[in-house]
Amino acid sequence: MASKRNFSAKREAIYNTLASTTSHPTADWIYDQLKQQMPDLSLGTVYRNLNIFKEMGIIKSIGVINGQERFDANVSQHSHFICSKCFKIIDIPSRKRFIDSSIYEYVEFECRAKISSHSITFYGICSECGNSENY
């Protein structure tokens, strides 16, 4: 983790746990992963550190999905697919021509603003949920 801030063992463990998965976990999931090895860890500590990481820009919130905020340590420009049935979140890697430049021009013109980044989320049924219903 590249930062000038000093990280405590708990803070480092929280970040590393998030960074080691692509499941876009909740704070509860991170807490459950670490509680065994850090019995004095509190859920409040996990939430406080996740907020610090968001402020630092080293993680991002994907949003509240099925009642719980989900987090991502991958802060590169990419989109997500969220299954409406199991709430699994799948990264969609960005490709150069993923969004046509005319969309940027249209939004900038309509909003009288300059776009610095975008976030696109697709919703539907993932292949695992679709297969279970002969989708």
Side-chain angles (χ1 to χ4, degrees):
M1 171 170 28
S3 174
K4 293 185 180 186
R5 251 187 182 180
N6 291 329
F7 279 77
S8 67
K10 286 180 186 173
R11 186 168 289 172
E12 188 82 26
I14 292 166
Y15 178 81
N16 288 338
T17 300
L18 175 59
S20 70
T21 183
T22 59
S23 68
H24 307 84
T26 64
D28 289 334
W29 183 89
I30 294 168
Y31 172 77
D32 289 342
Q33 299 301 304
L34 294 172
K35 186 64 178 161
Q36 190 78 15
Q37 66 193 40
M38 299 180 143
D40 62 334
L41 180 69
S42 72
L43 185 55
T45 298
V46 174
Y47 274 108
R48 274 190 301 282
N49 280 286
L50 290 171
N51 284 324
I52 290 168
F53 297 152
K54 284 191 300 185
E55 289 171 9
M56 294 173 66
I58 60 173
I59 72 166
K60 61 185 172 183
S61 172
I62 303 303
V64 176
I65 299 160
N66 196 32
Q68 291 194 298
E69 188 172 13
R70 305 284 289 269
F71 300 94
D72 194 351
N74 178 357
V75 294
S76 68
Q77 185 75 40
H78 67 284
S79 300
H80 295 97
F81 174 88
I82 300 174
C83 179
S84 302
K85 189 167 185 176
C86 70
F87 306 106
K88 178 180 185 177
I89 303 171
I90 302 168
D91 284 333
I92 303 170
S94 283
R95 298 217 166 72
K96 276 199 172 208
R97 298 285 297 159
F98 183 68
I99 295 183
D100 189 287
S101 63
S102 65
I103 294 172
Y104 274 88
E105 292 166 6
Y106 171 76
V107 172
E108 288 180 341
F109 176 79
E110 288 297 318
C111 297
R112 296 183 186 144
K114 184 71 176 161
I115 296 172
S116 60
S117 68
H118 69 272
S119 174
I120 298 176
T121 304
F122 297 91
Y123 298 88
I125 304 296
C126 72
S127 61
E128 292 172 19
C129 290
N131 288 337
S132 67
E133 297 180 358
N134 295 321
Y135 191 70

